[in-house]
Amino acid sequence: MLASSYRRALLAAGVSLGAVIGAGGAAWAQDSGNAVEELIVTAQKKEERIQDVPIAISAFSQEALDARKIDGGFDLLRAVPNVTFSKSNYSGYNFSIRGVGTKAVSATSDPGVAVAFNNTTLLRNRLFEQEYLDVERVEVLRGPQGTLFGRNATAGVVNVITARPQLETVDGEVKIEVGSYNTRRGSGMLNVPLGDTLALRLAGAFTERDGYGYNLTTQQDVDSRDLWSTRLSLAWEPTDRLRADFIWERFEEDDSRLRTGKQLCHHDAGPETLPGVVGPIDPLLRGRLSTGCKPGSLYDKDAYGVPNGISIPFVFAGMTIATLGYTEPLYYMDPAFPWGPSWNAAAVPIPVIQYGVDPYGNLQQSRDLRTIESNLQPRYEAKADIFSLNVSYDLTDSLTLTSQTLYNEDKVWSFQDYNRFRTLPLWNDPAGLYEIFPDSFDPATWNDPTRLAGLTPGGVFCDPQIGCSDSIAGFEISSSESEQFSQEFRLESSFDGPFNFTVGANYMKVEGLNDYYLFFNAVTILAMSVYNLTDTYGCGLIFGQPSSTCMYVDPNPVDELDGKGHNYFRNQNPFNTESRAIFGEAYWSPSDTLKLTFGLRYTDDEKTFTPWRSQLLQNGYEYGPDPDINQDWQEFTGRLGFDWKPELDFTDETMLYGFYSRGYKGGGANPPRAAGMPVAVENPITFDPEYVDAFEIGAKNTLLGGSMTLNLSAFYYDYKDYQVSKVVDRTVVNENFDAQVWGLELESVWRPVEDLTLFANLGLLNTKIGDGESSIDIFNRTQGNPDWIVSTPFIQQTSNCIYPREIAGRFAAMGLFPGAAGIASPIALACLNYLNPGAWAAYGFDPADYPEINNGAGFAADLSGNELPNAPHWTLSIGGEYRWRLASGWEVIARGDYYRQGDSYARVYNTVADRLKGWDNANLSLVVAKPADALTFEVYAKNIFDKTPITDAFLNSDSTGMTTNVFTLDPRIIGVSVRKGF
């Protein structure tokens, strides 16, 4: 049954195809040199016409990429059916084919779409940053490629084939471009033969532009670009049988690129009423029962709010036990307070943030997705070097031995504000305030205004990493570095008879480190004031007890961190991957029109992960590694199928194919939870591999005297253990879900006359998570059950919890800070109490009576039948170009294309907060060229309607208020360029 979105997509495609077929009669008879140009591809690691490859594949020459303004990896979605692309958290991206992509975030997780450089897979790459440079073509293979590309190619392959040096001619070109946002781009290529057997090709490109976004706080642009690429290629052909290619490619970027865009939030004020409570609820209590941000549509105006700061544990702790605030001191009058009745007599005030006032101010953000409010300017640095050597030797006229060697170094370092919105001034001037943790119990020593005078003089706190600020400030650093070595040997046959084969073996080793830091000055001031006191006074009492060690505060600036500070969150992830495989495909043609294919691959994967636990505000823990986690898998994958070329009266050429494919992607290790603090539910240490059984049938047709290609495919996937991430316990946890995927695809190109080319691509897709699958949604832990309520945790604890709403009413009726709980109220300790169930006895609640709440973590959401994330029901692209040939030898070419994708979801829960609306994109260009002089002028407009869709979203953690990072497209870009060849 087709949904209404399917009907709209089919209608749009029908209009385009109707134009193609309706005018086809005249073109059928003409056959006047208007045949569609066919590319030669290496989808099966040998050169073949694209229409002869029994794989759903799209391929684009450099000329085609330039014509459609496909500058980099992101733009491919406009040209390939059932493809989506978006940036994602932690310096990554998600390239998804047929609803299958990379939704797992871990140092040891692998991409679902393999990215290859001249047929060698790059585990880490700069696909979404780097622009295409002097390529021969880019191929996008859809569906599992379990034999020749093997591991990780469960969704497909993007294969970038660079232009090869030519031995015969000296040629080159230079292109200069300027455009919107002060864009300056340049590229060039030079090909030089060095004798009869050797040729050199040099290529380079740069892009510089101002930022697409604006920072209201600093009044500066953000999201700028400053990147460049160079490539040196050598081709050597000393004999007719030997061919060797050496390539060195370097990419660098240093600018203000935003890793993630705006942070959206539906402000959650907390409950207005509680059972048994008469009158208004204390604002601090409401904040403790708030998630910071509550679920809601990303497209509502209310989504541009800020979190309830009282819900954030380190902010709340600062209100109640640190040197923060303005007025309204609290007095501990309870004789049970740790310092006894003498404290009551002294009535020492504890300074707080203005009582009951949210330091985030319940402010509203700009509704422009490109406008942020950040205390600090973002920085983005990336660097990659690729060295490759490919050698082919014809052992005989029909046997070729190929060696592919590759070494890759890849680094990225990004710095940006964590909360990209402003907060109210926060720190109080300590003059005249009293120390909360005295060195002695003599009240006469408490009135010492000098003890904390150095922390916030004049209401300004100077954090060693963040700098000086009068308000809450935080930023994050996400970085990764890796080295990869790959070696493949392959033997291919080209016999004249019915049997041919490809056999090979490969080895890959990758070593790397993913590192993530999160800094907040509110955390540092807690470490310095509450846990450490001051260097002058040394380590003092913590809740009346001697501390075991000082709370170490890293004194170094951001560029010189020692990485051991307990005043920031650090998730350090060293990893090592080794993979070995042997593979082969056999091709047997029992007739001239039928070919059978059998492919098999054996993969042996080994992964090692070294867990380092976060030490945030954890006394007594030295930063160091836990024992290594070692994993290994041995798997068989491959494919089995046929392709048949029947002679049909209504086509010039037709190939029908059908295949069963088996795909596999390795599992990995989840980053560890924080040190020292047990959790209600232990997250799994590892996650499982993915497996897919895929069935596909297709038809590739050439029609109308060669002027039209019409390719169709239908597919069904049975997916086991698809990997999906979520943030839990201040870390990323990967879960596995079974799923089914099915759909249809159409690709068509038509040249009714020599100077007119039209194209239309359509993808239809359905995805369904398997029955019985479930997961705890940290954004909806109560699953709408009104009898339960969410509470934020104690400061060192890492996740929210739920408990009966009636119990929360009892807490409120008792007063905010009752009884022996001392400084921390039962609300603050509620999540901690799950680790000591007896603590609930006084409130008439036994967690053991409610196993469905998962020890307080929340009710599990039923995912049965939900859609996979980033899997729109349909994608559509249509477009074309027309060429006017002038008598003077000049040509004028007008081009345009339009893309649209349907609605989808950002997470597996498919809630209103996860919904991503469909979006569209249109592009136009006008080219004036004189081919005889190799001279081309172009004016173009990308995203001509200046759309700003949300292409993906990522939910942040409980402990920072449940904000949502969103990602969007580039704005409208208008530019002009000139290209000159020689």
Side-chain angles (χ1 to χ4, degrees):
M1 182 179 68
L2 293 176
S4 60
S5 58
Y6 273 23
R7 296 191 190 101
R8 290 194 297 272
L10 286 170
L11 177 60
V15 171
S16 175
L17 290 177
V20 169
I21 303 300
W28 186 292
Q30 288 174 3
D31 194 15
S32 58
N34 56 323
V36 174
E37 180 183 357
E38 284 193 85
L39 284 179
I40 302 299
V41 298
T42 53
Q44 298 186 114
K45 294 198 174 180
K46 57 185 177 182
E47 293 187 348
E48 300 172 285
R49 294 171 56 240
I50 191 170
Q51 290 296 96
D52 290 338
V53 179
I55 296 171
I57 176 175
S58 304
F60 309 93
S61 65
Q62 181 71 68
E63 182 181 4
L65 294 170
D66 290 342
R68 298 180 66 172
K69 304 306 296 179
I70 299 175
D71 297 323
F74 178 88
D75 291 322
L76 285 173
L77 64 80
R78 297 191 286 108
V80 184
N82 280 329
V83 161
T84 62
F85 190 108
S86 181
K87 291 187 291 184
S88 60
N89 248 45
Y90 310 113
S91 306
Y93 64 87
N94 180 27
F95 193 102
S96 179
I97 299 178
R98 296 174 175 176
V100 178
T102 308
K103 295 301 289 186
V105 179
S106 167
T108 55
S109 63
D110 298 323
V113 175
V115 174
F117 181 82
N118 291 328
N119 294 307
T120 299
T121 300
L122 290 173
L123 191 62
R124 300 297 173 98
N125 57 81
R126 300 293 106 210
L127 176 67
F128 90 84
E129 295 123 322
Q130 190 171 7
E131 298 174 350
Y132 294 126
L133 169 66
D134 192 32
V135 301
E136 181 178 311
R137 66 186 177 276
V138 176
E139 305 170 358
V140 182
L141 286 62
R142 303 189 296 280
Q145 310 297 315
T147 306
L148 300 178
F149 288 95
R151 66 185 304 276
N152 305 336
T154 49
V157 175
V158 176
N159 193 13
V160 178
I161 308 297
T162 60
R164 189 172 189 266
Q166 301 301 306
L167 297 174
E168 297 82 13
T169 59
V170 176
D171 66 347
E173 71 169 30
V174 175
K175 180 182 178 182
I176 301 297
E177 181 178 320
V178 295
S180 307
Y181 298 91
N182 197 26
T183 296
R184 292 91 65 203
R185 301 175 68 185
S187 62
M189 174 276 296
L190 176 65
N191 187 94
V192 182
L194 304 174
D196 296 332
T197 63
L198 186 66
L200 169 70
R201 191 178 185 100
L202 298 172
F206 75 90
T207 295
E208 295 179 1
R209 65 161 173 77
D210 297 339
Y212 288 156
Y214 187 70
N215 185 351
L216 288 172
T217 303
T218 64
Q219 297 186 11
Q220 292 179 278
D221 292 337
V222 292
D223 207 20
S224 64
R225 295 291 184 274
D226 186 352
L227 51 92
W228 57 271
S229 302
T230 58
R231 185 187 304 130
L232 180 151
S233 304
L234 284 171
W236 183 47
E237 296 185 16
T239 71
D240 292 340
R241 292 186 178 275
L242 178 63
R243 297 165 300 281
D245 291 275
F246 170 78
I247 296 174
W248 171 36
E249 179 174 294
R250 184 175 183 84
F251 168 76
E252 283 198 25
E253 179 173 2
D254 187 354
D255 47 41
S256 67
R257 183 194 291 266
L258 280 171
R259 254 193 324 102
T260 61
K262 208 175 187 75
Q263 240 177 32
L264 299 187
C265 173
H266 286 257
H267 181 85
D268 182 11
E272 295 182 358
T273 63
L274 287 172
V277 178
V278 178
I281 302 172
D282 188 288
L284 288 182
L285 176 56
R286 290 187 68 184
R288 297 301 294 173
L289 301 176
S290 159
T291 54
C293 304
K294 60 187 177 183
S297 171
L298 299 174
Y299 302 91
D300 292 347
K301 62 181 179 63
D302 291 340
Y304 293 87
V306 296
N308 185 336
I310 302 171
S311 74
I312 299 174
F314 58 81
V315 174
F316 181 76
M319 290 180 178
T320 55
I321 59 173
T323 59
L324 316 177
Y326 292 113
T327 59
E328 299 288 347
L330 293 180
Y331 295 80
Y332 284 99
M333 306 298 290
D334 193 322
F337 193 78
W339 282 282
S342 62
W343 179 276
N344 181 31
V348 177
I350 300 176
V352 295
I353 295 173
Q354 191 169 356
Y355 185 73
V357 174
D358 179 355
Y360 284 70
N362 196 13
L363 304 172
Q364 288 295 302
Q365 304 181 64
S366 164
R367 295 187 64 184
D368 182 351
L369 285 180
R370 305 188 205 283
T371 298
I372 63 172
E373 296 180 78
S374 174
N375 291 323
L376 300 163
Q377 285 289 98
R379 291 166 51 193
Y380 193 95
E381 300 173 10
K383 184 183 297 184
D385 283 285
I386 299 174
F387 302 87
S388 73
L389 176 63
N390 290 356
V391 181
S392 294
Y393 183 71
D394 296 333
L395 300 174
T396 69
D397 292 341
S398 54
L399 284 176
T400 300
L401 179 65
T402 300
S403 168
Q404 294 180 183
T405 308
L406 180 140
Y407 174 78
N408 177 37
E409 288 186 356
D410 186 278
K411 296 181 180 180
V412 63
W413 185 91
S414 66
F415 167 102
Q416 68 179 31
D417 202 321
Y418 184 84
N419 287 139
R420 290 172 290 284
F421 36 75
R422 62 190 173 94
T423 57
L424 300 175
L426 173 65
W427 320 115
N428 70 314
D429 187 337
L433 295 182
Y434 303 107
E435 173 57 62
I436 183 174
F437 295 123
D439 283 337
S440 75
F441 297 119
D442 181 2
T445 68
W446 296 348
N447 190 12
D448 180 358
T450 65
R451 287 180 48 84
L452 294 176
L455 278 180
T456 56
V460 174
F461 175 63
C462 292
D463 184 285
Q465 285 82 48
I466 294 174
C468 299
S469 173
D470 65 353
S471 61
I472 289 180
F475 65 83
E476 54 185 336
I477 295 175
S478 178
S479 66
S480 70
E481 56 184 68
S482 66
E483 296 182 22
Q484 173 181 338
F485 172 77
S486 295
Q487 176 64 57
E488 178 169 300
F489 295 103
R490 195 169 61 251
L491 181 65
E492 299 163 317
S493 73
S494 56
F495 301 133
D496 294 332
F499 177 78
N500 276 287
F501 66 86
T502 297
V503 295
N506 65 26
Y507 170 79
M508 181 188 74
K509 181 179 178 64
V510 180
E511 293 183 347
L513 170 67
N514 287 7
D515 222 348
Y516 178 77
Y517 290 86
L518 179 58
F519 306 81
F520 270 100
N521 54 10
V523 174
T524 299
I525 202 171
L526 285 172
M528 294 176 69
S529 63
V530 177
Y531 292 92
N532 238 23
L533 294 181
T534 66
D535 290 338
T536 301
Y537 286 83
C539 293
L541 298 174
I542 297 180
F543 297 116
Q545 301 298 321
S547 59
S548 56
T549 65
C550 288
M551 181 72 68
Y552 175 63
V553 174
D554 190 339
N556 301 296
V558 169
D559 293 334
E560 301 175 12
L561 293 171
D562 64 25
K564 300 178 181 180
H566 290 191
N567 62 308
Y568 48 69
F569 173 87
R570 184 186 186 189
N571 194 335
Q572 181 179 202
N573 299 285
F575 66 94
N576 184 308
T577 296
E578 284 193 76
S579 181
R580 305 166 184 84
I582 54 175
F583 59 88
E585 283 198 340
Y587 316 101
W588 179 51
S589 302
S591 70
D592 292 339
T593 60
L594 179 64
K595 182 176 71 176
L596 305 179
T597 299
F598 175 73
L600 188 65
R601 182 186 190 99
Y602 174 76
T603 301
D604 183 353
D605 276 346
E606 296 181 8
K607 293 186 177 183
T608 300
F609 176 71
T610 306
W612 291 65
R613 297 183 182 273
S614 166
Q615 310 293 305
L616 183 70
L617 294 180
Q618 292 292 338
N619 261 30
Y621 289 90
E622 293 298 325
Y623 195 63
D626 285 354
D628 286 350
I629 298 173
N630 299 301
Q631 299 172 275
D632 63 273
W633 303 272
Q634 294 78 40
E635 301 295 341
F636 285 98
T637 58
R639 63 178 186 143
L640 175 66
F642 73 91
D643 57 271
W644 176 42
K645 293 185 175 181
E647 294 188 6
L648 304 175
D649 295 336
F650 53 89
T651 67
D652 303 325
E653 182 181 34
T654 291
M655 181 180 70
L656 305 176
Y657 63 90
F659 274 86
Y660 160 74
S661 302
R662 172 75 168 177
Y664 149 79
K665 188 178 87 168
N670 285 317
R673 60 174 175 79
M677 182 59 66
V679 295
V681 177
E682 286 287 349
N683 297 311
I685 297 174
T686 62
F687 56 94
D688 294 333
E690 295 180 357
Y691 302 93
V692 58
D693 292 306
F695 302 86
E696 182 167 349
I697 57 173
K700 294 191 172 185
N701 305 282
T702 304
L703 308 97
L704 310 182
S707 67
M708 180 180 184
T709 59
L710 178 62
N711 299 337
L712 305 102
S713 60
F715 54 90
Y716 171 78
Y717 294 173
D718 185 6
Y719 227 102
K720 180 176 175 57
D721 290 330
Y722 185 58
Q723 299 163 0
V724 180
S725 293
K726 67 179 181 182
V727 175
V728 183
D729 295 329
R730 292 186 193 147
T731 189
V732 174
V733 172
N734 294 283
E735 300 178 306
N736 295 95
F737 304 110
D738 294 345
Q740 293 81 46
V741 178
W742 63 98
L744 302 168
E745 292 169 350
L746 175 150
E747 290 184 285
S748 180
V749 179
W750 182 41
R751 295 183 67 186
V753 295
E754 184 177 1
D755 294 325
L756 176 63
T757 302
L758 304 172
F759 68 84
N761 298 328
L762 175 67
L764 303 179
L765 184 68
N766 257 324
T767 62
K768 185 179 76 169
I769 296 176
D771 292 341
E773 299 285 10
S774 64
S775 172
I776 296 173
D777 180 359
I778 65 169
F779 214 9
N780 185 14
R781 293 180 182 272
T782 66
Q783 285 298 299
N785 189 326
D787 296 330
W788 295 78
I789 199 165
V790 174
S791 176
T792 52
F794 193 63
I795 184 169
Q796 284 98 344
Q797 207 174 358
T798 51
S799 286
N800 296 344
C801 66
I802 68 170
Y803 55 91
R805 183 178 290 266
E806 179 188 0
I807 302 297
R810 294 187 194 178
F811 291 161
M814 294 167 61
L816 185 58
F817 299 106
I823 291 176
S825 72
I827 295 290
L829 294 173
C831 297
L832 195 61
N833 285 343
Y834 277 100
L835 308 176
N836 178 22
W840 288 105
Y843 308 108
F845 171 54
D846 186 352
D849 294 337
Y850 302 92
E852 65 274 18
I853 65 171
N854 296 293
N855 205 29
F859 295 94
D862 182 11
L863 305 183
S864 302
N866 283 7
E867 298 176 17
L868 289 177
N870 305 114
H873 284 288
W874 58 276
T875 62
L876 170 71
S877 58
I878 55 176
E881 69 171 44
Y882 188 79
R883 184 187 308 261
W884 291 271
R885 302 177 191 269
L886 307 179
S888 59
W890 288 88
E891 297 178 349
V892 179
I893 307 166
R895 301 185 177 111
D897 64 83
Y898 174 80
Y899 169 83
R900 184 165 186 85
Q901 68 172 242
D903 294 354
S904 61
Y905 292 98
R907 301 189 307 152
V908 294
Y909 305 101
N910 290 191
T911 67
V912 65
D914 304 324
R915 180 171 173 262
L916 303 174
K917 288 184 178 180
W919 55 270
D920 60 357
N921 177 265
N923 309 276
L924 292 173
S925 69
L926 183 68
V927 175
V928 179
K930 192 173 186 179
D933 295 338
L935 180 62
T936 302
F937 300 93
E938 181 181 24
V939 57
Y940 67 87
K942 296 182 67 173
N943 190 10
I944 59 176
F945 299 118
D946 202 19
K947 297 294 184 70
T948 313
I950 297 175
T951 59
D952 204 357
F954 184 89
L955 180 67
N956 291 304
S957 70
D958 309 70
S959 59
T960 55
M962 308 291 287
T963 53
T964 299
N965 293 338
V966 295
F967 310 88
T968 188
L969 289 181
D970 292 347
R972 177 172 53 226
I973 305 295
I974 298 174
V976 296
S977 68
V978 58
R979 184 197 307 261
K980 181 67 174 76
F982 55 88

